[in-house]
Amino acid sequence: MKSLKTLEFSQILTQLSDMALSEPAQARIQKMEPFLDEARCRQAMEMTTSARRILDSCGTPPLTAMKGVDAVLTLCQADSMLLPEQLESLSMFASSCLRMEAYLKRAGEIDDRIASYGGGFADLSELRNEIDRCIRSGIVDGDATPGLRDARRKIEQTEAQIKEKLASILRGNQSWFADSYVSQKNGRYVVPVKKEFRAKFPGSLVDVSGSGATCFMEPHSVSKLTSALSSLQIDEDNEIRRVLYMLTAMVADYIPSIRLNMEALAELDFQFAKAKLSAAMDAIPPTLTTERRIDIRQGRHPLLDKRTAVPLDFSIDAAVHGVIITGPNTGGKTVAIKTVGLLSVMAQCGLHVPAGADTVLCMNGNYLCDIGDGQSISENLSTFSGHMKNVIAVLDQAGPESLVLLDELGSGTDPAEGMGIAVAVLEELRRRKCLFLVTTHYPQVKEYAEQTEGVISARMQFDRETLSPLYRLELGRSGESCALYIAEKLGFPTALLARARAEAYGEPIVADAEPVDAPQPRQPGVIRAQGQPRPATHAEKFHVGDSVVVYPSRDIGIVYRTADSSGNVGVQVKGEKLLIKHKRLKLKVAATELYPEDYDFSIVFDSVEARKARHQMSKKHRPDLEVTVES
C-alpha cells in the first residue's frame, strides 16, 4: 500500500525483520498489513504481549535460524544421499527444538498462551542421537558400524607397513636419493630418486620434478601393499555411503515431525521478534477500539531517537471528525500526523507502540495519505500537481472508516485558490465522516476549523524567545506561522516589517516608519482595475456592537464601525479604536445578544465629554460645542 510506505511502515517492518532469525518468520513479517478483523487484531496484540512478558521474565529464547534445513529435507525427498554436514545441521535443529521446549516449559509459569507451543513439539531425540553417534566433526565416525571400524583398522595397518618399507629403502642407499622423505604423488607412495640412478632403482616412475633432476618412483616392493590399500579404501567408502544412506532414510521418516517443529519455531520466532521490537522501543500494548476515537499519551515516533524525541499527546473523541494543525515550519506538524498514522498502523498489525499507558487507538478501514511535496521528474509533476494527484486518489477511496492524513493541503499554488481547494476537500471529507488530520498555513482553513462542527484546531507550540519549535501539539488552539515575528527578531528592516503587517493584517503603518518605495502589491491571484476597491469577502458579517476576538493577540474588542471597502473593520480594543483586517477577527458574541434593539452605542464608544456635548445640543443649539466622530 502506497500510504503505508508514505508513513514509513516499511522501515518498521525492516526493524522487525532484523529481530527474527528464520527465513519463514522474516518472509511473514514483510507481508504484514493492518488487520481489518477486530478479533484477529486483538489476538495478534495479545500474542505480542504474551511474548514480551516471557521475554522480560525468561530472557532471550533459544531460537534457531533453521538455515538450510528446508533445503536438506527437499534433497532427502528427492532420494539424494545427505552429506555429513547436512546431517549435522539437522542434529543442531533437533537440539534447538529440545532447548526451546525446555524454555517454554519454564515460561508456562508466566504465560501459557505462548508456552503452549512447547507441548506441540515432535520428539526428535532418537534422530539426533543416531546422527551424533555416526557423525563427528563433519565425517562419518569410525565406530558407526563394525564394517567401517574394521576397514579403517586395516587401512591404518597397511599404511604403516608401506611407510616402514619406504623408510628402510631410504636408509639402504642414501646416495641414490635427492632427499630423505616419503611423499605421495597421484595417490601413490614414492621416494625422490636422483636422475642418474633412475635405471638402477627397482620401481615405477610416477612423476618428475620441475627441473628434471629428481624422479619420484614407487618401489616394486610396496606396489602390492599400495594395491591392497586402494582396495581397503574402496571398502571404507562403501561402508561410509551405507551409513549415510541409512541416516538419510531415517531423516525421511522424520520429515513430517521436522516440518511440524519448523512451523512451531517459525511462529515462535515471529512472535518473539514482535516482543524484541517492543522491548527495543520501550513500547506498550495500546487499547484497540472500533469507536472513532484516538487517545495517544506520550507517543513517540518509532523512527526517531527516543532520547531526544518530544512525546506527543493527542486525544479526540467520536464527536470529532477532523483536526487541522497549524504552526511554524519545522515545528513538527508533519511528524505529529505521521506519528498518529504510524502508531495506528502498528497497533492494527498487532504490534506494541512507543507510547504511555492508557493509549487508545482505533481500527481503520484504510489509511490514505498525502505527505511530502509530491514532485516527480519522471512523471513531470510539480508540487501542486503531485499533491492534487494524491488528494484525488484519497477522495476516490475515502469513507467513514478511513484515516486520512494530508500535509500542507492546497499548497504549491496561488494561495487564494489553494485555500479554496483545501476547504472544499475538508468539507468533502467531513461529509463522508472520515477521520482526518491536516496540516496547513492558510488562515481561512483555520477559520473553517473554528467555525465547523466536528472539526477542531491544533497548533505546534513555538518558543518566541529562542525562535525554536517546541514540537508539542496543543489541541483547540490555532497556530501562527510566526514569520513576521521571526523576521523582526532576526533584524528585518522596520519599514519593510510595517508594510508586511499592513498587507498581511491591515494594521496601519506607523508614522515613524521609513517610506517604502516598492509598488503597492496586489492580492495574489486577483487582478483589479486602477481605483477598484479590494473585495471585502466575509467582512459584512461584522456589525456595530459585535464582540469579537482579535488575532493573533486574542484580545477581546467591540465593533464600532462596519467594514470599509478594503475589508477593514473598526474595533475598540482596551479603549483604543483600531482599524483591523476582517480576516483577523472572529465573532465572539453578536450585538443582538448583547444589547437591546435601538441601543445607543455612543454610551460605549463616545468619550464622557462627547456624550455631555450631545446631551446639551439635544436641548438647544450650542454653536460653541463640537462633537468629533471617529471615522
Side-chain angles (χ1 to χ4, degrees):
M1 295 176 63
K2 181 179 179 181
S3 291
L4 298 189
K5 182 178 179 180
T6 301
L7 290 173
E8 299 175 285
F9 183 58
S10 59
Q11 294 189 42
I12 300 297
L13 294 184
T14 297
Q15 290 186 10
L16 182 58
S17 182
D18 291 341
M19 301 291 180
L21 299 176
S22 64
E23 292 181 0
Q26 292 169 345
R28 180 177 173 184
I29 287 168
Q30 292 302 322
K31 295 178 181 178
M32 285 179 68
E33 289 184 354
F35 291 102
L36 299 181
D37 181 83
E38 181 186 3
R40 293 182 63 197
C41 186
R42 290 185 185 280
Q43 183 183 29
M45 183 69 72
E46 289 169 359
M47 292 295 286
T48 305
T49 302
S50 296
R52 172 69 189 277
R53 189 177 297 119
I54 293 174
L55 181 69
D56 290 343
S57 300
C58 300
T60 304
L63 291 161
T64 177
M66 300 188 289
K67 189 174 183 180
V69 174
D70 191 63
V72 170
L73 298 185
T74 301
L75 287 172
C76 186
Q77 289 175 313
D79 295 329
S80 297
M81 183 188 74
L82 298 181
L83 300 177
E85 58 268 23
Q86 294 169 331
L87 290 163
E88 281 187 322
S89 70
L90 292 178
S91 174
M92 289 187 288
F93 171 77
S95 296
S96 68
C97 291
L98 290 173
R99 290 194 301 271
M100 194 65 204
E101 193 173 1
Y103 175 90
L104 294 177
K105 188 175 181 179
R106 298 195 310 273
E109 302 174 2
I110 300 165
D111 193 301
D112 59 0
R113 186 178 286 104
I114 291 290
S116 62
Y117 280 91
F121 277 104
D123 185 6
L124 303 178
S125 56
E126 183 181 357
L127 175 64
R128 185 198 65 169
N129 291 338
E130 188 62 16
I131 293 175
D132 290 348
R133 186 186 70 80
C134 296
I135 307 295
R136 299 281 179 87
S137 303
I139 62 173
V140 177
D141 189 72
D143 291 329
T145 66
L148 183 58
R149 182 168 55 249
D150 184 59
R152 285 187 175 171
R153 180 178 56 82
K154 290 179 179 179
I155 287 173
E156 289 176 1
Q157 292 173 349
T158 304
E159 286 179 336
Q161 291 175 14
I162 292 174
K163 291 177 181 177
E164 184 179 351
K165 177 70 72 174
L166 292 172
S168 175
I169 292 173
L170 287 172
R171 289 194 300 269
N173 296 285
Q174 295 182 7
S175 61
W176 288 11
F177 304 108
D179 212 330
S180 58
Y181 64 86
V182 176
S183 60
Q184 275 189 317
K185 297 288 185 178
N186 302 324
R188 298 163 72 180
Y189 286 96
V190 295
V191 291
V193 179
K194 294 178 182 178
K195 180 179 180 183
E196 56 269 27
F197 296 105
R198 172 186 170 184
K200 295 182 179 181
F201 186 80
S204 304
L205 180 65
V206 176
D207 199 2
V208 179
S209 66
S211 63
T214 303
C215 299
F216 297 100
M217 304 186 71
E218 180 187 43
H220 292 317
S221 59
V222 300
S223 295
K224 290 182 179 181
L225 291 174
T226 302
S227 298
L229 179 63
S230 298
S231 178
L232 289 171
Q233 288 173 337
I234 291 173
D235 292 342
E236 178 194 29
D237 185 63
N238 288 338
E239 196 64 23
I240 288 173
R241 294 174 68 85
R242 192 174 73 82
V243 172
L244 294 178
Y245 273 119
M246 179 270 294
L247 292 175
T248 301
M250 190 175 184
V251 170
D253 292 338
Y254 274 90
I255 284 178
S257 297
I258 294 172
R259 290 202 181 279
L260 179 67
N261 288 9
M262 288 178 67
E263 291 174 5
L265 286 176
E267 177 67 25
L268 289 166
D269 191 17
F270 174 72
Q271 299 300 341
F272 278 107
K274 294 192 295 178
K276 293 173 189 175
L277 183 67
S278 171
M281 291 183 175
D282 194 19
I284 55 97
T287 298
L288 293 168
T289 179
T290 54
E291 299 176 10
R292 306 302 285 156
R293 67 187 185 94
I294 298 175
D295 189 3
I296 297 175
R297 309 288 182 87
Q298 295 291 288
R300 290 177 283 104
H301 194 288
L303 299 178
L304 297 179
D305 188 339
K306 62 183 179 182
R307 296 169 298 182
T308 57
V310 178
L312 172 72
D313 288 317
F314 182 88
S315 181
I316 56 174
D317 56 27
V320 176
H321 291 300
V323 179
I324 296 177
I325 306 174
T326 53
N329 289 329
T330 71
K333 299 190 300 296
T334 302
V335 172
I337 64 173
K338 290 179 75 171
T339 300
V340 174
L342 187 52
L343 296 191
S344 298
V345 171
M346 290 175 64
Q348 205 166 332
C349 288
L351 299 176
H352 288 179
V353 298
D358 301 324
T359 289
V360 179
L361 294 166
C362 65
M363 301 276 293
N364 297 291
N366 58 0
Y367 292 84
L368 305 171
C369 305
D370 174 37
I371 299 175
D373 63 19
Q375 287 186 335
S376 173
I377 296 175
S378 62
E379 296 183 27
N380 194 27
L381 292 177
S382 65
T383 297
F384 177 72
S385 298
H387 275 303
M388 281 299 96
K389 184 178 179 181
N390 291 335
V391 169
I392 291 169
V394 167
L395 294 176
D396 285 342
Q397 303 174 64
E401 295 186 351
S402 301
L403 177 60
V404 178
L405 308 173
L406 303 177
D407 190 30
E408 298 296 349
L409 178 60
S411 63
T413 188
D414 176 270
E417 295 182 356
M419 176 276 298
I421 290 174
V423 172
V425 170
L426 293 176
E427 185 59 24
E428 178 61 17
L429 293 176
R430 189 177 76 95
R431 186 187 69 80
R432 298 190 189 188
K433 298 183 179 179
C434 300
L435 187 56
F436 59 87
L437 279 66
V438 174
T439 71
T440 185
H441 280 298
Y442 291 134
Q444 294 88 341
V445 179
K446 302 176 191 178
E447 293 176 11
Y448 170 82
E450 294 166 358
Q451 299 170 7
T452 305
E453 182 179 358
V455 182
I456 63 172
S457 296
R459 70 178 183 181
M460 302 305 298
Q461 295 181 355
F462 183 81
D463 189 330
R464 287 175 170 264
E465 293 302 317
T466 63
L467 302 182
S468 302
L470 299 177
Y471 304 108
R472 291 196 294 265
L473 182 67
E474 184 178 9
L475 292 169
R477 300 288 298 275
S478 294
E480 309 156 27
S481 67
C482 299
L484 296 181
Y485 182 83
I486 293 173
E488 181 179 17
K489 294 284 284 186
L490 295 176
F492 194 67
T494 303
L496 298 183
L497 193 64
R499 173 56 61 88
R501 292 188 189 280
E503 291 301 316
Y505 298 115
E507 294 183 4
I509 301 177
V510 294
D512 59 349
E514 297 179 5
V516 179
D517 295 327
Q520 184 74 11
R522 294 197 303 266
Q523 181 181 353
V526 178
I527 301 176
R528 296 192 306 276
Q530 187 173 2
Q532 181 182 348
R534 292 176 181 267
T537 308
H538 300 304
E540 65 275 4
K541 68 181 179 182
F542 298 109
H543 302 89
V544 174
D546 286 347
S547 174
V548 294
V549 180
V550 181
Y551 290 91
S553 65
R554 292 185 175 273
D555 291 330
I556 305 300
I558 301 293
V559 175
Y560 74 86
R561 197 188 71 180
T562 57
D564 58 19
S565 59
S566 298
N568 297 316
V569 180
V571 182
Q572 181 170 295
V573 182
K574 298 178 181 179
E576 183 180 2
K577 290 182 171 61
L578 304 172
L579 288 178
I580 300 175
K581 203 76 169 179
H582 72 89
K583 293 181 179 181
R584 294 179 56 202
L585 303 177
K586 179 185 177 183
L587 181 64
K588 183 175 178 63
V589 183
T592 54
E593 299 180 30
L594 290 173
Y595 307 102
E597 191 175 356
D598 299 327
Y599 181 77
D600 183 6
F601 284 103
S602 65
I603 298 174
V604 178
F605 303 123
D606 283 353
S607 63
V608 175
E609 292 76 11
R611 288 203 301 273
K612 287 181 178 179
R614 286 182 187 277
H615 179 68
Q616 292 177 19
M617 292 179 69
S618 66
K619 293 181 178 181
K620 62 179 180 178
H621 177 61
R622 291 283 303 275
D624 58 316
L625 294 178
E626 179 178 332
V627 178
T628 302
V629 180
E630 295 191 44
S631 57

